[in-house]
Amino acid sequence: MGLFSNMYKPGPGVAPDAPRKRGLSRLFEILGRDFGSFFKAGMLAFLGALPFIVGMVFSLLSHSLLVMMIAGVAGGMIAAPQIVGVADTVLRSLRDEPGFWWHTYRRTWKANARASLLPGAVLGLIFGGEIFMYAHLSDLEAGAALIVILFAGILLAVGISTYIWPQIALLDLPFVTLIKNAMFLFLAYLPASLGAMVIQVVYWGAVVLLFPLSAPVFLFTNFWLPMVPSLLIVYKGLDNSFKIEETLRKRREDADSAGGEA
């Protein structure tokens, strides 16, 4: 839904014929060029995630399962449109799309806000539940089997969510199709998926395990820092599956033809 909007707006970018770098060189290139856009989108996502964060902290302090469920569902719905905004910002950077960040971000937010609510609620509840259970392992007298299941659930949720947010930014799909696509993409591009998952798990694990010491760092790195390298790793698979850049190229050619005829 947000993929093909505002692609003709002037703004900062790169030379269209410049060959793309790879690996760390590519990561440093897009960070150096678009850090400001990543940071601003990340700060908006952080503000959107505050209800989830505050609700989860209160649920842990009060040991309330009900508060956790409310925080997970409501907080996830509030945070989701801004997380999709981060994903869209990173994807535009990865395809070297010129444009002014705020203009494209605002249009993408309006286009995808409603579609992100249900995924946000479901993922918020899943991640909230995982955090809540982890914090209460001693009360649950958890054995090794439960710990393994809990960790496997975290890995699966992180891996699937890596493909959910980009799909919302790129396409207009029902929720069930989003989940099915995410699972298929995760398996089809398993090495890249695992690499992206490791980055996410290490980052979010450090944030949760070191909280509240991690809070000042999270304030500045929040959602954009793990998402940039993660999407960089899986972008080739997304492009192969959804023909992102091929479709963009055709749209540009059609627009140029229409402009020439006019």
PDB file of all heavy atoms in Angstrom, residues 16-30:
ATOM      1  N   PRO A  16      21.481   7.308  -9.950  1.00  0.00           N
ATOM      2  CA  PRO A  16      20.720   6.128 -10.322  1.00  0.00           C
ATOM      3  C   PRO A  16      21.576   5.001 -10.881  1.00  0.00           C
ATOM      4  O   PRO A  16      21.201   3.835 -10.790  1.00  0.00           O
ATOM      5  CB  PRO A  16      19.740   6.661 -11.387  1.00  0.00           C
ATOM      6  CG  PRO A  16      20.365   7.921 -11.885  1.00  0.00           C
ATOM      7  CD  PRO A  16      21.096   8.493 -10.722  1.00  0.00           C
ATOM      8  N   ASP A  17      22.740   5.328 -11.487  1.00  0.00           N
ATOM      9  CA  ASP A  17      23.578   4.302 -12.087  1.00  0.00           C
ATOM     10  C   ASP A  17      24.719   3.855 -11.177  1.00  0.00           C
ATOM     11  O   ASP A  17      25.559   3.046 -11.593  1.00  0.00           O
ATOM     12  CB  ASP A  17      24.165   4.821 -13.406  1.00  0.00           C
ATOM     13  CG  ASP A  17      23.075   5.138 -14.426  1.00  0.00           C
ATOM     14  OD1 ASP A  17      22.055   4.427 -14.421  1.00  0.00           O
ATOM     15  OD2 ASP A  17      23.244   6.091 -15.202  1.00  0.00           O
ATOM     16  N   ALA A  18      24.759   4.363  -9.976  1.00  0.00           N
ATOM     17  CA  ALA A  18      25.843   3.998  -9.061  1.00  0.00           C
ATOM     18  C   ALA A  18      25.683   2.550  -8.609  1.00  0.00           C
ATOM     19  O   ALA A  18      24.608   2.152  -8.168  1.00  0.00           O
ATOM     20  CB  ALA A  18      25.830   4.918  -7.840  1.00  0.00           C
ATOM     21  N   PRO A  19      26.743   1.714  -8.737  1.00  0.00           N
ATOM     22  CA  PRO A  19      26.636   0.317  -8.286  1.00  0.00           C
ATOM     23  C   PRO A  19      26.494   0.256  -6.772  1.00  0.00           C
ATOM     24  O   PRO A  19      27.111   1.036  -6.045  1.00  0.00           O
ATOM     25  CB  PRO A  19      27.962  -0.297  -8.745  1.00  0.00           C
ATOM     26  CG  PRO A  19      28.903   0.858  -8.851  1.00  0.00           C
ATOM     27  CD  PRO A  19      28.070   2.034  -9.281  1.00  0.00           C
ATOM     28  N   ARG A  20      25.680  -0.673  -6.310  1.00  0.00           N
ATOM     29  CA  ARG A  20      25.445  -0.797  -4.874  1.00  0.00           C
ATOM     30  C   ARG A  20      26.561  -1.563  -4.186  1.00  0.00           C
ATOM     31  O   ARG A  20      27.058  -2.554  -4.699  1.00  0.00           O
ATOM     32  CB  ARG A  20      24.110  -1.500  -4.619  1.00  0.00           C
ATOM     33  CG  ARG A  20      22.915  -0.634  -4.927  1.00  0.00           C
ATOM     34  CD  ARG A  20      21.625  -1.349  -4.601  1.00  0.00           C
ATOM     35  NE  ARG A  20      20.486  -0.503  -4.915  1.00  0.00           N
ATOM     36  CZ  ARG A  20      19.213  -0.917  -4.893  1.00  0.00           C
ATOM     37  NH1 ARG A  20      18.953  -2.176  -4.588  1.00  0.00           N
ATOM     38  NH2 ARG A  20      18.241  -0.091  -5.185  1.00  0.00           N
ATOM     39  N   LYS A  21      26.903  -1.098  -3.031  1.00  0.00           N
ATOM     40  CA  LYS A  21      27.883  -1.798  -2.218  1.00  0.00           C
ATOM     41  C   LYS A  21      27.201  -2.985  -1.536  1.00  0.00           C
ATOM     42  O   LYS A  21      25.979  -3.132  -1.577  1.00  0.00           O
ATOM     43  CB  LYS A  21      28.478  -0.844  -1.182  1.00  0.00           C
ATOM     44  CG  LYS A  21      29.202   0.342  -1.805  1.00  0.00           C
ATOM     45  CD  LYS A  21      29.709   1.305  -0.748  1.00  0.00           C
ATOM     46  CE  LYS A  21      30.393   2.504  -1.395  1.00  0.00           C
ATOM     47  NZ  LYS A  21      30.881   3.474  -0.393  1.00  0.00           N
ATOM     48  N   ARG A  22      27.993  -3.798  -0.902  1.00  0.00           N
ATOM     49  CA  ARG A  22      27.466  -4.992  -0.241  1.00  0.00           C
ATOM     50  C   ARG A  22      27.998  -5.089   1.179  1.00  0.00           C
ATOM     51  O   ARG A  22      29.010  -4.480   1.528  1.00  0.00           O
ATOM     52  CB  ARG A  22      27.848  -6.253  -1.025  1.00  0.00           C
ATOM     53  CG  ARG A  22      27.267  -6.315  -2.436  1.00  0.00           C
ATOM     54  CD  ARG A  22      27.647  -7.610  -3.116  1.00  0.00           C
ATOM     55  NE  ARG A  22      27.088  -7.721  -4.449  1.00  0.00           N
ATOM     56  CZ  ARG A  22      27.243  -8.767  -5.248  1.00  0.00           C
ATOM     57  NH1 ARG A  22      27.971  -9.805  -4.826  1.00  0.00           N
ATOM     58  NH2 ARG A  22      26.707  -8.777  -6.449  1.00  0.00           N
ATOM     59  N   GLY A  23      27.285  -5.884   1.976  1.00  0.00           N
ATOM     60  CA  GLY A  23      27.741  -6.174   3.323  1.00  0.00           C
ATOM     61  C   GLY A  23      27.874  -4.948   4.196  1.00  0.00           C
ATOM     62  O   GLY A  23      27.031  -4.046   4.179  1.00  0.00           O
ATOM     63  N   LEU A  24      28.961  -4.907   4.957  1.00  0.00           N
ATOM     64  CA  LEU A  24      29.173  -3.808   5.888  1.00  0.00           C
ATOM     65  C   LEU A  24      29.339  -2.478   5.163  1.00  0.00           C
ATOM     66  O   LEU A  24      28.926  -1.435   5.684  1.00  0.00           O
ATOM     67  CB  LEU A  24      30.403  -4.088   6.754  1.00  0.00           C
ATOM     68  CG  LEU A  24      30.261  -5.192   7.812  1.00  0.00           C
ATOM     69  CD1 LEU A  24      31.587  -5.414   8.524  1.00  0.00           C
ATOM     70  CD2 LEU A  24      29.163  -4.834   8.813  1.00  0.00           C
ATOM     71  N   SER A  25      29.927  -2.510   3.976  1.00  0.00           N
ATOM     72  CA  SER A  25      30.092  -1.263   3.214  1.00  0.00           C
ATOM     73  C   SER A  25      28.730  -0.668   2.877  1.00  0.00           C
ATOM     74  O   SER A  25      28.533   0.549   2.963  1.00  0.00           O
ATOM     75  CB  SER A  25      30.880  -1.524   1.925  1.00  0.00           C
ATOM     76  OG  SER A  25      32.187  -1.951   2.209  1.00  0.00           O
ATOM     77  N   ARG A  26      27.794  -1.527   2.507  1.00  0.00           N
ATOM     78  CA  ARG A  26      26.434  -1.068   2.210  1.00  0.00           C
ATOM     79  C   ARG A  26      25.752  -0.557   3.479  1.00  0.00           C
ATOM     80  O   ARG A  26      25.052   0.468   3.452  1.00  0.00           O
ATOM     81  CB  ARG A  26      25.634  -2.226   1.602  1.00  0.00           C
ATOM     82  CG  ARG A  26      24.170  -1.923   1.313  1.00  0.00           C
ATOM     83  CD  ARG A  26      24.005  -0.854   0.268  1.00  0.00           C
ATOM     84  NE  ARG A  26      22.617  -0.774  -0.174  1.00  0.00           N
ATOM     85  CZ  ARG A  26      22.104   0.254  -0.826  1.00  0.00           C
ATOM     86  NH1 ARG A  26      22.857   1.302  -1.127  1.00  0.00           N
ATOM     87  NH2 ARG A  26      20.842   0.239  -1.193  1.00  0.00           N
ATOM     88  N   LEU A  27      25.952  -1.249   4.591  1.00  0.00           N
ATOM     89  CA  LEU A  27      25.362  -0.818   5.857  1.00  0.00           C
ATOM     90  C   LEU A  27      25.860   0.557   6.248  1.00  0.00           C
ATOM     91  O   LEU A  27      25.069   1.450   6.602  1.00  0.00           O
ATOM     92  CB  LEU A  27      25.681  -1.834   6.950  1.00  0.00           C
ATOM     93  CG  LEU A  27      25.187  -1.495   8.362  1.00  0.00           C
ATOM     94  CD1 LEU A  27      23.668  -1.404   8.403  1.00  0.00           C
ATOM     95  CD2 LEU A  27      25.674  -2.536   9.365  1.00  0.00           C
ATOM     96  N   PHE A  28      27.166   0.765   6.178  1.00  0.00           N
ATOM     97  CA  PHE A  28      27.731   2.069   6.529  1.00  0.00           C
ATOM     98  C   PHE A  28      27.284   3.147   5.549  1.00  0.00           C
ATOM     99  O   PHE A  28      27.103   4.308   5.934  1.00  0.00           O
ATOM    100  CB  PHE A  28      29.257   1.981   6.578  1.00  0.00           C
ATOM    101  CG  PHE A  28      29.780   1.123   7.686  1.00  0.00           C
ATOM    102  CD1 PHE A  28      30.892   0.314   7.494  1.00  0.00           C
ATOM    103  CD2 PHE A  28      29.163   1.109   8.928  1.00  0.00           C
ATOM    104  CE1 PHE A  28      31.373  -0.490   8.521  1.00  0.00           C
ATOM    105  CE2 PHE A  28      29.630   0.313   9.958  1.00  0.00           C
ATOM    106  CZ  PHE A  28      30.732  -0.485   9.748  1.00  0.00           C
ATOM    107  N   GLU A  29      27.119   2.774   4.289  1.00  0.00           N
ATOM    108  CA  GLU A  29      26.679   3.741   3.291  1.00  0.00           C
ATOM    109  C   GLU A  29      25.287   4.278   3.617  1.00  0.00           C
ATOM    110  O   GLU A  29      25.070   5.504   3.631  1.00  0.00           O
ATOM    111  CB  GLU A  29      26.658   3.096   1.905  1.00  0.00           C
ATOM    112  CG  GLU A  29      26.155   4.024   0.804  1.00  0.00           C
ATOM    113  CD  GLU A  29      25.986   3.314  -0.515  1.00  0.00           C
ATOM    114  OE1 GLU A  29      25.488   2.160  -0.528  1.00  0.00           O
ATOM    115  OE2 GLU A  29      26.332   3.905  -1.554  1.00  0.00           O
ATOM    116  N   ILE A  30      24.334   3.379   3.880  1.00  0.00           N
ATOM    117  CA  ILE A  30      22.966   3.844   4.134  1.00  0.00           C
ATOM    118  C   ILE A  30      22.858   4.518   5.500  1.00  0.00           C
ATOM    119  O   ILE A  30      22.067   5.454   5.668  1.00  0.00           O
ATOM    120  CB  ILE A  30      21.942   2.701   3.998  1.00  0.00           C
ATOM    121  CG1 ILE A  30      22.196   1.591   5.018  1.00  0.00           C
ATOM    122  CG2 ILE A  30      21.944   2.142   2.589  1.00  0.00           C
ATOM    123  CD1 ILE A  30      21.130   0.501   5.003  1.00  0.00           C
TER     124      ILE A  30
END
